[in-house]
């Protein structure tokens, strides 16, 4: 029977408290996140099932949840924190496009926070960006690059990135500096380009500009060396 990731096909798979899942379970996500299909092999048969889903996950910084908190004391030992975090491997983290560390916000700052954009306005901007992407990939045949019908930036492979996410000199210099300074992987490079292409689409920009690359790099907090320390 299809499992959770197949049931989430064309939808969202939300994993709360990500490190609480066993490492073996988390590692099974690597192929589906990369290929958008999963192959199940048994003694007499092999099944390949579709599982193109959006993975959303949340986690605490440690088992007790207070590591690096400005007012609460963490009760975890370094060994407990390391064991907790080690369930999330580098290759799995590499496959998560946007990684954001959310710090505690004092009440005073929340009370003084300005009113944000209405959800309806944001929704319209997202719809316009998705239409731009659908039009961009409309001419591509189904199965291009080993994938099904391409309709959004997340589905681009490396060859498509070279065509649709080309960088100017300023953008190339910025991402080269980030790759060297943060020791990011080649897979992280591709993910940054996809996110930057989407940020540019949200601004209705035909080209990826340097500030799009900078914003995309800023969304990869957790695959930097030493982020758990």
């Amino acid at each position: 029977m299809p499992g959770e990731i197949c049931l989430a096909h064309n939808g969202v798979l939300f994993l709360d408290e990500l490190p609480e899942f066993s490492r073996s379970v988390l590692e099974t996500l690597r192929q589906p996140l990369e290929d958008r299909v999963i192959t199940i092999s048994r003694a007499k048969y092999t099944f390949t099932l579709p599982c193109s889903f959006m993975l959303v996950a949340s986690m605490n910084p440690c088992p007790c949840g207070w590591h690096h908190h400005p007012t609460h004391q963490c009760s975890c030992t370094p060994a407990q924190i390391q064991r907790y975090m080690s369930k999330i491997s580098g290759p799995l983290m590499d496959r998560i496009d946007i990684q954001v560390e959310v710090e505690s916000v004092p009440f005073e700052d929340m009370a003084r926070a300005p009113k944000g954009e209405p959800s309806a306005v944001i929704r319209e901007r997202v719809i316009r960006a998705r239409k731009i992407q659908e039009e961009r990939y409309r001419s591509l045949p189904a199965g291009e690059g080993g994938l099904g019908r391409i309709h959004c930036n997340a589905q681009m492979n490396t060859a498509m990135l070279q065509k649709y996410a080309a960088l100017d000199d300023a953008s190339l210099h910025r991402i080269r500096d980030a790759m060297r300074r943060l020791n990011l992987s080649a897979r992280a490079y591709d993910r940054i380009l996809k996110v930057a292409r989407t940020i540019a689409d949200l601004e209705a920009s035909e080209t990826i500009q340097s500030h799009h690359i900078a914003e995309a790099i800023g969304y990869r907090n957790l695959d930097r060396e030493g982020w758990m320390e």
Side-chain angles (χ1 to χ4, degrees), residues 5-6 8-13 29 32-33 36 51-55:
I5 60 176
C6 293
H9 180 58
N10 288 334
V12 176
L13 178 65
L29 291 170
L33 286 172
R36 299 182 182 272
C51 56
S52 180
F53 58 90
M54 178 185 291
L55 174 66

Side-chain angles (χ1 to χ4, degrees), residues 88-107:
I88 307 172
S89 68
L92 176 59
M93 190 68 75
D94 254 358
R95 289 168 168 81
I96 299 177
D97 294 12
I98 298 176
Q99 311 157 6
V100 179
E101 187 174 11
V102 181
E103 298 181 355
S104 176
V105 180
F107 170 77

